[in-house]
Amino acid sequence: MARIDDRMRELGISLPPARAPMANYVPARRVGNLVYTAGQVSGTAEREIKGKLGDGLDVEQGREAARVCALAAVLTVVDSLDSVKQLVRVGAFVNSAAGFNQQPAVANGASDLFVELFGDAGRHARTAVGVNELPAGFAVEVELIAEV
């Protein structure tokens, strides 16, 4: 039974396919029982979320940007999100205007989604940092390590 797929349907969440890499790398790499994702930028092929938090984008828009980033990359190396035993670590990079200091609130978009989907197995260690720029002007980039 696909419990994570069922949970996503209950929450009205559809997972976009992983974005094609922007350079010479892969979206994710499995090493033993760990999956490491490359940084995944905010947006899908249909809707890219670009801009700076604190200058044109607010925290709620940043949270939404963070939600759509990383899980699809995991599916490039495993058949189902049901394979995920737990999330280990999440890194969130927030394209921030000078003086913007709410990066943790933005990163909560991803963290909250992971807990909604995986329960306690979605709780993770995390880093949330502000950066001056992200590739192609994206608002958020998220990477993760998951145990499968």
Side-chain angles (χ1 to χ4, degrees):
M1 183 67 129
R3 66 179 177 80
I4 299 301
D5 287 341
D6 291 342
R7 184 73 181 131
M8 288 174 56
R9 270 192 295 284
E10 288 172 14
L11 295 170
I13 298 168
S14 62
L15 194 62
R19 293 182 60 89
M22 299 170 94
N24 190 17
Y25 61 91
V26 294
R29 174 73 67 189
R30 182 174 178 170
V31 179
N33 65 340
L34 296 176
V35 172
Y36 298 81
T37 69
Q40 302 295 305
V41 293
S42 53
T44 64
E46 296 80 33
R47 180 173 172 251
E48 295 182 336
I49 304 172
K50 295 184 175 186
K52 285 194 180 288
L53 278 290
D55 183 15
L57 294 177
D58 62 24
V59 170
E60 194 54 41
Q61 291 167 306
R63 286 176 49 84
E64 180 60 30
R67 283 177 68 90
V68 300
C69 291
L71 281 180
V74 173
L75 290 173
T76 66
V77 294
V78 299
D79 292 332
S80 166
L81 291 177
D82 288 322
S83 300
V84 174
K85 289 184 180 178
Q86 67 179 332
L87 294 181
V88 178
R89 183 183 181 286
V90 172
F93 304 90
V94 180
N95 190 350
S96 301
F100 183 80
N101 62 4
Q102 297 181 63
Q103 291 82 8
V106 170
N108 281 344
S111 294
D112 292 348
L113 174 64
F114 300 154
V115 173
E116 286 177 75
L117 294 178
F118 297 100
D120 281 342
R123 297 192 188 288
H124 51 271
R126 186 182 82 186
T127 301
V129 297
V131 297
N132 187 46
E133 296 291 338
L134 283 173
F138 282 95
V140 179
E141 183 173 327
V142 176
E143 63 184 13
L144 63 82
I145 301 170
E147 180 185 16
V148 294

